[in-house]
Amino acid sequence: MRIDSIEKLDKWRKECRRTFEAPKRKVIVCLGEGCLANGSEEVFNEFKKLVAEKKIPDVTVESVAKTGCHGFCALGPLVIIEPDGTFYTKVSKGDVAKIVDKTLIGHEIIDKLLYTDAKTAEKVANYEKIPFYARQQRISLRHCGTIDPHKITDYIAVGGYAALGKALTTMTPQQVIDEITKSGLRGRGGAGFPTGKKWATCAKAPADVHYVICNGDEGDPGAFSDRTTMGSDPHSVLEGMIICAYAVGSHQGYIYVREEYPLAVVTLQKAIDEAKQHGLLGEHILGTELSFDIKISRGGGAFVCGESSALMRSVAGEVGEPRAKYIRSVIKGLHDQPTVLNNVETYATVPAIVERGADWFAGIGTKKSTGTKVFSLAGKIKNTGLVEVPMGITLREIIFDIGGGVPDGRKFKAVQTGGPSGGCLPEGKIDLPVDFDSLTEAGSMMGSGGMVIMDDRTCMVEVARYFLSFLVSESCGKCVPCREGLYQLRELCAKVCDGEATEEDLALMERLAKTIKVGSLCGLGQSGPNPFLSTLLYFRDEYLAHIRDKKCPGGVCRKLITYAITDACTGCMACISVCPVHAITGERKKKHVLDKNICDRCGSCYAVCKFDAIEIS
Amino acid sequence: MVQMTINGKVVKAPDGEMLLTVIRRQGIDVPALCDHAAVEPCGSCRMCLVEITREDWNGWKKYVTSCLYPSENGLIVSTHTPELQEIRRNIMDLYLARCPGSELVQKMAEEYGLTRTSYKTIPEGDNCIMCYACTRICEVLGRNAISAVHRGHAKVISGPFDDPPPDCIGCLSCANICPTDVIEWHDQDGTRAIWGRTFDLISCRQCGKGIITRDFAEYLKEKRQIPADYFEICDDCKRVELARKMGGLVDLAKEVAS
Ligand SMILES: Cc1cc2nc3c(=O)[nH]c(=O)nc-3n(C[C@H](O)[C@H](O)[C@H](O)COP(=O)(O)O)c2cc1C
Ligand code: SF4
Ligand code: SF4
Ligand code: SF4
Ligand code: FES
Ligand code: FES
């Protein structure tokens, strides 16, 4: 069916809503990428099978629905029973029969499958009461986990393409741009450039052809928010891009998807096909003058391909290497034509702004960083996952209230924000409001919204070395400061870790970092020294401890630590069997002995000891 | 024409002309390792960085590579501030670690008082300074046979997939433009070896010396409409023949001159 007018869209929406809301009770199984990997498809099929067999009055086969990611993948496969909001975690195929009998038929809650609150250790039955969700405000992720990403009818049912209809029939392109400008929306892909300003410049650039590109490269290894959005709510991204195309006058768009995201490609392609079938994409969208098509472009498989000039070369079929340019891509981008490049999250936010108005969006967050931002919580944190919070919320709220804090009774030490070339912030900055400018001022950045939490068993020099290694291997190698400079900076960091560096080396590192920052051609090199500079800024003591005292306060750097067994040892023999160099001896139930001279300092014993009897000094 | 200020002096230049060209015309020596008149600028060495600002930037300034930055009205350019010299010195220090054997690098580093690198010399380093002159000249030629392959620190100039380049015609343009002479080639027994490939040479009908590879001659014939017999005699023999023909005249000229 071709939807060629607003009236038809409204009519269609009513039908879709009827089907979507028909089942009184719903069994929602998460089939996002994380849960899929944990076997949620089997769970889904088992539900379908058993529900069909049991003939429950208020639960039919149609009641068993699948959705994309809920952001809490570590607990997957997730199952939610609506309308009660009963939230089951780590559901296996074997659990399904029990859920059907007890919960679906017997209206009973199965405690064992509930989420345990990280702070209070209590079971929480309803998912809206889980702090992880309760504190979030979802705009970009608004439909993730509520609709089936493979059904355009689900998207229409929850209000999809209404913003496009509104823009096309009640607003001029300039009014759309003004609305986005007024909302204060800033790019979610890294630099936080004002989106409205970007669109306005592109719209004004004189040329016959304008392009609209979506950056779904998501090169930051810790982040997975764009993958989630593309895979769980693809139409929001398309709708945002179509609105942009209307605003800047474009007929062709591209979504550049990271090589490693084949499932997202499938989902997006399906969405594009369905949107086209219904006249929401392609010629004469919604029966108007607007014609716009979207193609998927597969990424070049490198971090640097996410950089705008490299990305545009890659889309054009060239090598994905940054180009030195002083003419901005909004004026001369893909095929030298004016091009808008925005991040996945940026586009996914656009329909919400158009629909609910700039003032609503600008009222959320802070004055200069409006709206919400998605973060991927990872590392030493109880609730790993994807969260969307208003800008300006403090790091403490994200890490401790939503994330549940640091596990295993350890202490929080630092959080790395902004991806590999972001920076590390210490405990002293825990009350920092999270917005573009505060993070930059503090020596880190918003970047892609990655957040890696570190506990007190972390060595900050080693962290810098680790991230520099990533950047060394991802540098495209075109320009000298980045190619040679980051390599040398990494080598010097390793020298510090080995306890072989001098204070002159540290001074050299600081000089080098400045040269790389100023001298590099693209953003990768220009932000490359950040892991070093930010750890040095907040943890200089730790660098000096390695250099002057030949000590690693975090107890990580192998050449600077020794392991020993304390009186807490119960003689369980666990460490004896894991030590690869046989440095530990002892009898059952008697305190073991660790020979420092044989010990290879690999930490295996430390990891395996249940009684905290291995001491690092 | 636009008007700019370079190191305090008011300068006029054609709109859009790259800053490096304008600066050099002023007799100011800005170092550059990847710039070459025959090819488009690429911005890889970063030695030509200059500082720019404008009246209305309220003291804000930025560093740009002058080989790539077009002239525009009102620019205020500084080419040798202490910060710039420090950056250039650091870059040469990095080059010295990567290409310790390159005379070009040694000479330029010395200008910044560097005789040995402050960094770790790179074991797998060679004298290629990654200036891309070779790949760019090959592109100008229309062959695009070689490019930079691999990433980051492992990047090298080579054929596609680091194999011998199938599109190479053995013209030697790359070897001739290379500022550090690292592209190996040799002619032997009527063949030329370069980039892991071997080409047949057309030999001079008179002296027998190899003139040009058959592939290159055919390429020129096709692309530039150069007659095939043009390459039958080498330049030296052509000159000798010309001299012989004009021999009488030359002798006469010598007599007049003395
Ligand atoms: C090395 C490098 C990698 C980048 N990777 C990404 C990426 O994976 N995704 C992204 O959206 N932006 C990435 N960016 C930022 C883009 O260049 C660009 O600023 C962004 O896509 C613009 O969209 P926005 O205004 O919506 O943020 C990267 C930048 C650099 C320098
Ligand atoms: S800064 Fe690094 S990634 Fe960017 S062009 Fe230079 S070498 Fe390539
Ligand atoms: S010799 Fe081969 S690689 Fe070199 S410029 Fe000629 S065609 Fe290109
Ligand atoms: S081989 Fe020579 S011309 Fe080519 S990049 Fe290396 S130094 Fe430059
Ligand atoms: S995939 Fe199920 S919660 Fe993320
Ligand atoms: S000459 Fe400008 S970057 Fe090399």
Side-chain angles (χ1 to χ4, degrees), chain B residues 127-135 157 174 177-180 182-183:
Chain B
N127 288 346
C128 170
I129 55 168
M130 276 290 167
C131 68
Y132 290 77
C134 53
T135 64
I157 304 293
C174 53
I177 202 173
C178 175
T180 55
V182 287
I183 300 176

Side-chain angles (χ1 to χ4, degrees), chain A residues 469-488:
Chain A
S469 290
F470 174 84
L471 294 168
V472 167
S473 64
E474 292 297 330
S475 155
C476 87
K478 180 167 179 169
C479 69
V480 180
C482 171
R483 180 182 71 233
E484 305 301 331
L486 285 178
Y487 173 89
Q488 296 290 1

Side-chain angles (χ1 to χ4, degrees), chain A residues 301-302 321 324 326 472-481 483-485 487-488 491-492 508 511-512 514-515 518-521, chain B residues 42-46 49 63-65 68-69 83 86-87 90-91 94-95 97-98 118-120 122 129-130 132 151-153 155:
Chain A
E321 202 175 76
Y326 291 107
V472 167
S473 64
E474 292 297 330
S475 155
C476 87
K478 180 167 179 169
C479 69
V480 180
R483 180 182 71 233
E484 305 301 331
Y487 173 89
Q488 296 290 1
E491 291 300 297
L492 286 161
L508 179 66
R511 281 207 305 275
L512 176 57
K514 192 180 166 210
T515 298
V518 177
S520 291
L521 190 157
Chain B
C42 81
S44 77
C45 78
R46 322 301 292 168
L49 279 180
Y63 296 107
V64 298
T65 42
L68 275 159
Y69 201 92
E83 290 86 12
E86 167 72 12
I87 293 166
N90 279 337
I91 294 177
L94 290 168
Y95 264 122
R98 171 77 186 227
S118 321
Y119 303 102
K120 187 175 128 184
I122 291 155
I129 55 168
M130 276 290 167
Y132 290 77
R151 245 193 344 243
H153 211 245
K155 199 160 208 155

Side-chain angles (χ1 to χ4, degrees), chain A residues 85-107:
Chain A
T86 310
F87 185 72
Y88 288 147
T89 61
K90 299 198 176 162
V91 179
S92 67
K93 188 181 166 193
D95 294 328
V96 174
K98 210 158 66 185
I99 298 177
V100 171
D101 285 341
K102 290 218 164 149
T103 312
L104 295 184
I105 300 174
H107 291 271

Side-chain angles (χ1 to χ4, degrees), chain A residues 515-537:
Chain A
T515 298
I516 302 172
K517 251 179 126 70
V518 177
S520 291
L521 190 157
C522 85
L524 191 150
Q526 286 157 10
S527 60
N530 281 354
F532 162 70
L533 289 171
S534 70
T535 48
L536 187 69
L537 177 64

